[in-house]
Amino acid sequence: MRVECAQLASGISASGKSLFYRPAKRIADIVLAVPAIVMFFPVLIVMCVMIKCDSAGPAIFRQERMGRGNRRFIMYKLRTMVNDAEQNGPLLAVADDRRMTRIGRFLRRYHIDELPQLWNVLKGDMSIVGPRPEREHFARLISDYAPEYSRISSVRPGLTSWGNVMHGYASDIQGMVVRLRYDLDYLDNMSPYTDLKVIFYTIKILITGKGI
């Protein structure tokens, strides 16, 4: 069943796309990522130790995702689930997921598990703000419901996104399609203002702990 495109009152105001916006966005990514990596490095070390003490397996989780131009890249996260959580195939995380570890639930709630992606930002795989990257398996499923998903590959995926702050984590394909609508809205209104707005809402979510 195809989910119909709907107008979403997202509150993003349209701005003209400057010729210099994308290069400036890349420079801003680097300027923000470098001090953030330095600042959060001690936190990452502590979290890695806690993850290792809490459950067997690597502290840093590596997963292939689809990036700009559908280029595959390895995305890094702090591991929040038991090792080999997807031995029977790709699965989306859900509320009260039994695969999640004790420390993993805390990390995911406050989105601390995403911090290693600052390295992806510095490398150029990702941006601070942009649609969240998906695995090829789920990208294909989303495209079956919403062919316009292909537009996502026109930009670098983000550490945070308008879809994430407005919709949150998605536990099924329908939820991912709803979140896509917000990300398409972001693409139509990309500007420094919209990026700052997404960052502001993200900080608010980090403080309140409104994760899964």
Side-chain angles (χ1 to χ4, degrees):
M1 182 180 72
R2 185 181 299 279
V3 176
E4 298 297 331
C5 237
Q7 290 286 335
L8 294 175
S10 64
I12 292 183
S13 60
S15 298
K17 293 182 177 65
S18 167
L19 179 65
F20 302 104
Y21 168 67
R22 295 206 180 193
K25 181 178 173 69
R26 177 61 189 147
I27 293 172
D29 285 339
I30 296 171
V31 169
L32 291 173
V34 171
I37 289 172
V38 173
M39 181 172 65
F40 288 115
F41 187 73
V43 176
L44 286 170
I45 295 298
V46 172
M47 291 298 104
C48 285
V49 172
M50 293 179 69
I51 292 169
K52 293 292 289 184
C53 292
D54 185 50
S55 62
I60 301 294
F61 181 68
R62 298 167 176 82
Q63 193 173 70
E64 186 177 85
R65 297 289 177 109
M66 305 295 289
R68 184 180 180 183
N70 289 321
R71 182 179 65 84
R72 295 171 178 81
F73 70 96
I74 299 300
M75 190 183 79
Y76 301 96
K77 296 182 69 171
L78 291 173
R79 182 171 58 83
T80 59
M81 295 189 176
V82 295
N83 203 28
D84 299 325
E86 291 191 329
Q87 54 186 336
N88 295 321
L91 291 172
L92 292 170
V94 297
D96 300 319
D97 200 313
R98 294 183 178 180
R99 299 172 299 160
M100 208 169 293
T101 63
R102 290 175 298 176
I103 184 64
R105 192 169 300 280
F106 167 79
L107 295 174
R108 194 169 176 85
R109 180 178 178 83
Y110 290 94
H111 298 267
I112 299 172
D113 59 317
E114 313 287 1
L115 285 178
Q117 288 159 45
L118 287 166
W119 178 244
N120 287 118
V121 173
L122 193 59
K123 288 174 58 186
D125 298 324
M126 297 175 64
S127 180
I128 295 293
V129 179
R132 288 292 294 166
E134 298 292 349
R135 284 178 280 177
E136 184 176 9
H137 171 78
F138 292 113
R140 288 178 176 176
L141 292 178
I142 297 170
S143 295
D144 289 341
Y145 285 82
E148 60 270 30
Y149 176 77
S150 61
R151 291 182 56 201
I152 295 296
S153 66
S154 66
V155 298
R156 286 187 179 90
L159 179 62
T160 184
S161 72
W162 187 238
N164 257 29
V165 300
M166 294 301 293
H167 183 267
Y169 288 109
S171 58
D172 54 33
I173 297 301
Q174 285 72 25
M176 297 176 90
V177 173
V178 171
R179 187 177 62 190
L180 168 66
R181 306 307 175 197
Y182 290 104
D183 286 332
L184 292 176
D185 191 21
Y186 169 78
L187 290 183
D188 290 335
N189 297 280
M190 288 176 67
S191 72
Y193 169 75
T194 57
D195 286 348
L196 287 173
K197 188 166 186 175
V198 172
I199 291 172
F200 171 79
Y201 277 102
T202 300
I203 293 173
K204 185 178 179 180
I205 289 173
L206 293 177
I207 293 173
T208 57
K210 291 184 178 178
I212 190 170

